[in-house]
Amino acid sequence: MHPSPPVEVDAQALQGELDTLANFSDSPAPSVTRIVFTPTDMAARDYVKQLMREAGLTVREDAAGNIFARWQGSVDRAVATGSHCDAIPHAGKYDGTVGVLGAIAAIRALRNSGFTPQKSIDVIMFTSEEPTRFGIGCSGSRLMGGAIDPQTLEALSDAEGVTFAEARHAAGYTGELQTVELGTDTYDHFVELHIEQGPVLEHEQTNIGIVSAIAAPASLTIEFNGRGGHAGAVLMRDRQDALVPAAILVETAERLALDSASDDSVATVGMLDVHPSAVNSIPRKARLSLDIRDTQLEIRDSIVNHLVEKAQELAAARGLQCEIQHINSDPPVQADAQIMQAIHRAAESEGLSQLTLVSRAYHDALFIARKVPTGMIFVPSRDGISHRPDEYTSSAEIGAGVAVLARTLADLAGSSARERDSGGDSGGQR
């Protein structure tokens, strides 16, 4: 249950911390570029750990570089919150960071209210939620959720050929990745605070979003290989142009998502590489990426299967070779009902409007949910913008989300003082 004293969040101080963290960037303000295990990322990690310790939390790090900061409770149980602080090139300052620095601020607010947790509360900063450097997102939380084989992750390399193993070792994380995976009893609940990265809350003029489900991506690359040739010398009937089927597949992906039975279906081609990429040369190689998402696994996988079949048909009809590589296919998750109810109570206690919505972007919560009952709190994003320098959520909106997070954590962790006063110990049970 939430504490009876008011939860007062110092939104100004939190904004200052978010602004300071944004200065740890490899691109000029207002953009933020912070790539995992780079010197900039390591300096930002030091700043976050400093804030954690100043809040009275005990800090530890695992072999993957996930950072844990604990507010010790009175029983041998724990709940957790957190997000990430890495940023794609030329991003904004709020994606992920609100869920880490906001979690620290929530604990400060609870301390100031006189609340003492029965269950311990961990703030987690996950390693590499963004796929920028090694091509796969949520490295830290995937490991924690048992969603990736450690050896597979270790072998991934960046554009310079540096492997994940080499990069983490150079950053000082030398333990065995097999030790990162959570047990099913490590945490009773996990809740992540995040900017919405979409327009719904702003459009509906609503303070708080209670996430009911998180969509998950299926990612794949498809490469067509043809013969190419001189743009003027090869007649149309004789061509084996690799780009044309790739272009048809882009349109097919859009149509399948638009015609889907689910409003949550989205399909994106974010990369299209053409070789030799000359104005007077017929493309002999075209490689495209596909990102297909939905909150319903059957519908998402149906779109993926249709696209794979279409690619094979196009290649066969044009005498091309077609190579298909499946990168990942993660199942969507439903939010935990108890956490959703706790968020609802917290928002009501703060006098904040709320609505239930799905997350079409995926987050670390998606993978933690494999081990722990999970929920998410959204705060509005101006114009629904994210992953851009003009990404923005006001201090007041962030402060409201932090207050809801604080009350939600208090509800899930239980009050040590209250339980002692009542003579009960039920807070230690599931």
Side-chain angles (χ1 to χ4, degrees):
M1 297 178 67
H2 55 73
S4 52
V7 175
E8 296 182 2
V9 175
D10 191 339
Q12 249 187 340
L14 174 55
Q15 184 63 59
E17 292 162 357
L18 289 164
D19 293 343
T20 299
L21 182 58
N23 291 329
F24 295 93
S25 173
D26 289 326
S27 60
S31 71
V32 178
T33 300
R34 199 160 46 238
I35 310 303
V36 66
F37 299 144
T38 61
T40 301
D41 178 53
M42 299 309 295
R45 287 166 174 265
D46 287 342
Y47 175 65
V48 172
K49 287 185 285 187
Q50 173 191 327
L51 293 178
M52 290 170 165
R53 293 188 178 103
E54 288 174 354
L57 307 179
T58 303
V59 177
R60 70 174 181 88
E61 298 173 83
D62 68 16
N66 295 308
I67 301 171
F68 304 79
R70 172 157 292 197
W71 186 8
Q72 186 64 47
S74 59
V75 299
D76 190 22
R77 310 290 297 187
V79 299
T81 183
S83 195
H84 67 98
C85 285
D86 62 314
I88 67 167
H90 304 285
K93 69 172 71 172
Y94 299 102
D95 174 21
T97 58
V98 166
V100 178
L101 302 194
I104 300 170
I107 286 181
R108 288 197 297 255
L110 286 174
R111 283 191 187 276
N112 292 337
S113 76
F115 175 80
T116 303
Q118 186 176 47
K119 298 177 184 178
S120 296
I121 300 176
D122 276 6
V123 177
I124 307 173
M125 192 185 107
F126 297 101
T127 287
S128 190
E129 193 263 2
E130 305 293 1
T132 308
R133 184 169 184 183
F134 295 104
I136 190 168
C138 297
S139 300
S141 56
R142 280 182 192 272
L143 284 168
M144 290 171 69
I148 190 170
D149 177 70
Q151 290 183 331
T152 299
L153 180 60
E154 292 271 63
L156 295 178
S157 60
D158 63 15
E160 281 70 48
V162 178
T163 65
F164 186 92
E166 292 167 339
R168 75 176 180 96
H169 290 163
Y173 301 111
T174 57
E176 295 294 327
L177 287 190
Q178 286 81 358
T179 63
V180 173
E181 185 173 349
L182 298 177
T184 54
D185 60 350
T186 303
Y187 295 115
D188 287 352
H189 297 97
F190 174 82
V191 56
E192 181 172 1
L193 172 66
H194 209 282
I195 60 171
E196 182 194 349
Q197 300 180 286
V200 176
L201 292 176
E202 183 182 59
H203 183 267
E204 298 296 329
Q205 298 183 319
T206 301
N207 304 121
I208 298 295
I210 304 175
V211 174
S212 60
I214 306 172
S219 303
L220 59 156
T221 61
I222 297 178
E223 183 175 299
F224 295 99
N225 287 280
R227 290 177 58 188
H230 192 287
V234 182
L235 296 178
M236 297 301 293
R237 63 175 177 267
D238 297 326
R239 294 191 178 194
Q240 288 180 308
D241 187 326
L243 180 57
V244 174
I248 294 171
L249 203 63
V250 173
E251 189 279 333
T252 302
E254 179 186 51
R255 178 175 48 78
L256 287 170
L258 285 169
D259 293 345
S260 169
S262 168
D263 289 337
D264 296 324
S265 294
V266 291
T268 304
V269 176
M271 295 188 295
L272 179 55
D273 297 323
V274 181
H275 181 78
S277 193
V279 67
N280 62 343
S281 181
I282 301 165
R284 61 177 177 267
K285 181 184 295 185
R287 187 174 187 267
L288 70 157
S289 66
L290 283 163
D291 182 304
I292 315 298
R293 307 186 188 204
D294 201 287
T295 56
Q296 299 180 55
L297 183 62
E298 299 81 4
I299 291 177
R300 187 203 67 187
D301 286 353
S302 174
I303 294 174
V304 171
N305 292 337
H306 275 92
L307 287 168
V308 168
E309 291 171 6
K310 183 67 173 179
Q312 292 168 336
E313 290 173 6
L314 289 167
R318 295 167 180 269
L320 305 173
Q321 292 183 327
C322 179
E323 298 178 9
I324 299 170
Q325 180 182 11
H326 292 268
I327 306 300
N328 61 277
S329 183
D330 302 307
V333 301
Q334 301 297 312
D336 177 70
Q338 184 179 346
I339 297 177
M340 291 179 67
Q341 292 162 5
I343 298 169
H344 170 76
R345 289 191 294 270
E348 281 200 331
S349 296
E350 289 293 319
L352 298 169
S353 57
Q354 57 190 278
L355 60 80
T356 300
L357 73 174
V358 301
S359 174
R360 293 180 178 85
Y362 73 96
H363 306 276
D364 291 301
L366 180 72
F367 300 100
I368 298 303
R370 294 184 175 214
K371 299 287 186 177
V372 184
T374 294
M376 292 193 73
I377 301 166
F378 276 174
V379 291
S381 296
R382 184 176 65 187
D383 297 329
I385 290 170
S386 185
H387 281 193
R388 283 173 27 182
D390 53 340
E391 171 183 274
Y392 178 76
T393 301
S394 72
S395 297
E397 290 167 326
I398 294 170
V402 171
V404 171
L405 174 63
R407 288 187 176 273
T408 302
L409 291 172
D411 192 330
L412 298 173
S415 170
S416 179
R418 183 178 66 249
E419 292 297 329
R420 285 198 303 269
D421 291 343
S422 66
D425 62 357
S426 60
Q429 304 299 315
R430 277 193 179 273

